[in-house]
Amino acid sequence: MIKCTLKDLIERHEVTQTDIANATGITRPTLLALMRNDAQGIKFSTLEKLCDYFNIEISELLVSDKRYKPTKQEQLDNLINIARQLKSELQ
């Protein structure tokens, strides 16, 4: 599966979805879907705008999930979900 690193790029560059939307014309719902990795597809023009905005190659924006490294926040969210599941199983 292909993963989008947009969430990590936003954190590293300390920008907001609004900053990107204003600069690129990409809608916030599109950005959110890419950040969550639940987009069903992506236009080439969107890819190009994001690569230009962050001054990166497409290989830095889209990666194989075999090479994808979750952000610290994603790792923390995963641990919280595991703890919640364990707690519910104990009750």
Side-chain angles (χ1 to χ4, degrees), residues 5-22:
T5 63
L6 182 58
K7 186 174 182 177
D8 183 49
L9 289 166
I10 287 172
E11 290 173 6
R12 279 192 284 150
H13 290 264
E14 298 179 347
V15 296
T16 65
Q17 292 177 45
T18 303
D19 294 333
I20 299 168
N22 290 340

Side-chain angles (χ1 to χ4, degrees), residues 18-35:
T18 303
D19 294 333
I20 299 168
N22 290 340
T24 65
I26 301 169
T27 65
R28 290 185 56 161
T30 297
L31 293 171
L32 187 58
L34 291 171
M35 289 172 61

Side-chain angles (χ1 to χ4, degrees), residues 18-51:
T18 303
D19 294 333
I20 299 168
N22 290 340
T24 65
I26 301 169
T27 65
R28 290 185 56 161
T30 297
L31 293 171
L32 187 58
L34 291 171
M35 289 172 61
R36 291 182 176 167
N37 281 298
D38 26 318
Q40 296 300 308
I42 183 170
K43 294 180 181 179
F44 289 125
S45 60
T46 301
L47 292 172
E48 184 174 33
K49 288 175 186 177
L50 289 171
C51 287

